[in-house]
Amino acid sequence: MYVDSEQFTSEEYVDKERVAMILEFMSGRLAYLTSTMTIDDRGPSILEIGSGNAWMCRAAKANYPVARTVAQDITDEAIDHCPWVDEYHVQDVEDLDLSETFDVISMTHVFEHVPEPVETLIALKSLLRPAGKVFITMPYRPAGESQNMRRADWESYSYLHVPAHLQYLSERSMHAIAARAGYRVDFWDASAEGGDACEVHLTLKR
């Protein structure tokens, strides 16, 4: 679906005010994520999964011009629009062959598209530094839906809501997935966008 269509030329991705707002958010989250890490003068190293325009990489470069930034996606649509990315890999996550580890692995509205979330997180473990963080934002429920939805309401939209959204995860589900993959949930918040989106931070179990 995404390989066969263009996404990143829409107003949602090019509007200057929206881009500025996204970068401000990403810069703030990056500062929070790295606040407990020991970062050298070059700044944090970033791996962005399902990156598209690679907002986290862009925020890293804006704050640390020599930061190491690597991006991955299944389509090459955005490659020529991301000069802030040092390396842009077009391949499946499981096929990434990188001989380095990263302070932050970022997935912005990606995890809801992943068919095997446990396996995806396991594939990323060897790429995360021991004190590193996995940063995830994703839809928490269909946009604009009531928090008081009945079970029948949830069952009725299924794939009809957004064809490429494979799942919406509760906090309990995220904790279970993380544990099975060898992580712990350090941060969970489902208040963004009026309760339609959530943010998760994962670290490796020790």
Side-chain angles (χ1 to χ4, degrees):
M1 176 179 177
Y2 288 111
V3 170
D4 295 334
S5 62
E6 287 192 4
Q7 304 173 69
F8 304 113
T9 55
S10 71
E11 193 70 13
E12 181 179 359
Y13 295 98
V14 299
D15 177 74
K16 289 183 179 180
E17 289 186 6
R18 178 171 171 76
V19 169
M21 188 169 61
I22 292 171
L23 291 177
E24 181 181 10
F25 170 76
M26 287 297 185
S27 292
R29 301 324 285 154
L30 181 59
Y32 180 83
L33 288 162
T34 58
S35 61
T36 59
M37 300 180 192
T38 301
I39 305 295
D40 63 31
D41 293 339
R42 292 172 297 178
S45 56
I46 308 295
L47 171 61
E48 196 154 357
I49 301 298
S51 60
N53 284 337
W55 301 117
M56 183 62 85
C57 289
R58 186 172 178 177
K61 285 290 191 185
N63 291 281
Y64 308 92
V66 293
R68 173 71 171 153
T69 57
V70 177
Q72 172 276 339
D73 211 328
I74 59 171
T75 170
D76 63 2
E77 180 187 349
I79 285 181
D80 295 333
H81 306 290
C82 298
W84 43 84
V85 174
D86 296 323
E87 291 182 18
Y88 203 121
H89 297 263
V90 180
Q91 58 189 148
D92 290 336
V93 172
E94 292 78 10
D95 296 330
L96 277 175
D97 184 18
L98 301 173
S99 58
E100 59 188 305
T101 54
F102 298 86
D103 294 305
V104 175
I105 298 178
S106 179
M107 289 185 275
T108 301
H109 282 248
V110 170
F111 211 58
E112 69 273 18
H113 302 286
V114 173
E116 301 290 347
V118 173
E119 285 75 4
T120 296
L121 288 176
I122 289 172
L124 296 176
K125 287 175 71 174
S126 64
L127 299 172
L128 187 65
R129 291 181 178 171
K133 301 271 189 178
V134 177
F135 171 74
I136 298 171
T137 63
M138 59 184 171
Y140 180 58
R141 63 184 187 201
E145 295 289 356
S146 166
Q147 290 184 346
N148 299 316
M149 290 178 73
R150 299 169 302 165
R151 180 181 180 88
D153 294 329
W154 283 92
E155 291 173 345
S156 68
Y157 69 74
S158 187
Y159 278 79
L160 299 177
H161 180 256
V162 177
H165 286 189
L166 303 183
Q167 61 230 327
Y168 296 90
L169 299 175
S170 67
E171 182 176 6
R172 180 179 177 183
S173 296
M174 192 69 242
H175 274 272
I177 288 168
R180 287 182 62 189
Y183 298 79
R184 69 173 185 268
V185 177
D186 282 349
F187 180 91
W188 166 276
D189 178 72
S191 64
E193 299 179 26
D196 290 342
C198 63
E199 176 181 343
V200 186
H201 304 172
L202 306 178
T203 54
L204 293 170
K205 281 186 178 178
R206 292 185 177 86

